[in-house]
Amino acid sequence: MFKGNKKFVYIFCGIFAIVIAVQYFLPKPTNWSRTYMSKDKSPFGCFAIYNLLDRVYAKSYRLNNQTFYNLNNAQKKTASLLIVNDNINFNKNDMRSLFEFLDKGNTVFISVTQFNGALADTFHIRTDFDYSDYFTSVDSLMKKEGVKIKMNAVNYKKRSFSYSRVASSAYFRNFDSTRFKVMADLGKDKTCLIGADIGKGKLYLMTMPDVFGNYFIVDDPNRQFVYAMMSLLKNDELIWDEYYKTYNVTNYSFIKFVLESDALYTAYLLIIFILIFYMIFEGRRRQRAIPVIE
């Protein structure tokens, strides 16, 4: 198609390179996506708390990128598993492995806003979420007073932790009260942290995953609340889960990589429009002029 028109190839490549360079060096807006990934330095990534694990909250720690079934079979010593995400949706095999994992004396801490699937059915869990600020700008949410978390622990009885409206607030509307005890609430019977002894292990469920984000850890006085949560994990090894994340890196593809980069996405669209434009106006077949013979 470009035979005899190599100049267009150079023009396309030049435009492509210029667009990527301009987009790359432009000031990037803050990414407020709730990834909760250990390598993510955005406000709701967990880079800060993950890097505090070493020698602070565990003798050893590691990442988990496999299912609960594989994790349970490979685990040889007692450990604490920490899952932070916007939702959790275990199937029956996950739940069977969860109970086996807990029965070995391990600890599991799950902090999500929505409990779905077999986990919610087994423990009769229902959560409520405040959607009133869904379409409100982040800048205004940062200035609004949000929820106050109070712990039932004796050493935290007289203290509350205040979070702005930028933190997503959810609470347990229902749970199995015969197994779980309330450990923290948002006031007015809005429980946000519950715990239970299951087998030889302990299971903690929480509805405020945003408190683990970088925004509320770095230079924020409320980080003491997260430190109190981490102190519940007292096993030999701490396992940070990445498998059950919504932004699971194992499901990452080249197309997803292009679409999530503003520079590559803009250049991608531009090159498609240029190719279409070229095919319409320059892609028709050309023929040499026929000499006129008198």
Side-chain angles (χ1 to χ4, degrees), residues 200-232:
K200 299 177 182 178
K202 295 182 180 296
L203 175 63
Y204 300 99
L205 304 178
M206 186 185 178
T207 60
M208 297 282 293
D210 284 358
V211 301
F212 289 90
N214 299 321
Y215 184 82
F216 295 110
I217 296 293
V218 180
D219 297 328
D220 192 292
N222 289 315
R223 62 182 179 273
Q224 296 297 330
F225 174 67
V226 177
Y227 297 164
M229 300 297 98
M230 298 299 294
S231 66
L232 299 172

Side-chain angles (χ1 to χ4, degrees), residues 30-219:
T30 302
N31 179 17
W32 290 94
S33 299
R34 288 171 164 82
T35 65
Y36 307 112
M37 301 294 290
S38 60
K39 295 183 179 180
D40 196 345
K41 297 182 180 180
S42 64
F44 291 119
C46 290
F47 178 84
I49 189 63
Y50 180 74
N51 282 271
L52 288 175
L53 300 181
D54 188 20
R55 297 183 300 275
V56 178
Y57 293 107
K59 297 177 182 178
S60 63
Y61 71 101
R62 64 184 176 90
L63 282 174
N64 174 56
N65 285 303
Q66 55 188 345
T67 64
F68 224 129
Y69 175 81
N70 294 327
L71 171 65
N72 184 39
N73 290 336
Q75 195 64 29
K76 302 301 181 183
K77 56 183 178 180
T78 57
S80 295
L81 175 65
L82 179 58
I83 301 176
V84 182
N85 196 33
D86 56 350
N87 70 85
I88 197 73
N89 190 4
F90 283 166
N91 56 37
K92 292 181 179 179
N93 290 330
D94 291 326
M95 285 303 299
R96 190 179 301 111
S97 299
L98 171 63
F99 281 114
E100 292 176 0
F101 188 77
L102 291 169
D103 196 49
K104 295 177 182 178
N106 299 305
T107 302
V108 177
F109 192 108
I110 303 176
S111 182
V112 298
T113 52
Q114 293 182 337
F115 292 84
N116 302 310
L119 180 64
D121 295 338
T122 301
F123 298 121
H124 312 294
I125 295 175
R126 299 292 181 269
T127 56
D128 275 346
F129 185 80
D130 185 5
Y131 292 96
S132 60
D133 298 321
Y134 189 80
F135 296 103
T136 308
S137 66
V138 174
D139 292 335
S140 60
L141 292 177
M142 293 168 63
K143 300 175 184 178
K144 291 182 179 180
E145 183 178 351
V147 297
K148 290 184 179 180
I149 301 178
K150 292 184 179 181
M151 296 184 64
N152 292 343
V154 176
N155 53 334
Y156 286 98
K157 276 283 187 180
K158 297 181 179 179
R159 184 174 179 182
S160 62
F161 301 89
S162 300
Y163 289 89
S164 62
R165 296 290 284 272
V166 74
S168 57
S169 59
Y171 60 92
F172 291 105
R173 176 163 49 89
N174 187 63
F175 61 90
D176 188 352
S177 58
T178 61
R179 289 191 178 189
F180 291 91
K181 63 178 181 179
V182 177
M183 302 181 66
D185 61 71
L186 308 178
K188 298 180 181 179
D189 298 325
K190 294 182 178 180
T191 303
C192 65
L193 175 63
I194 55 178
D197 294 327
I198 297 180
K200 299 177 182 178
K202 295 182 180 296
L203 175 63
Y204 300 99
L205 304 178
M206 186 185 178
T207 60
M208 297 282 293
D210 284 358
V211 301
F212 289 90
N214 299 321
Y215 184 82
F216 295 110
I217 296 293
V218 180
D219 297 328

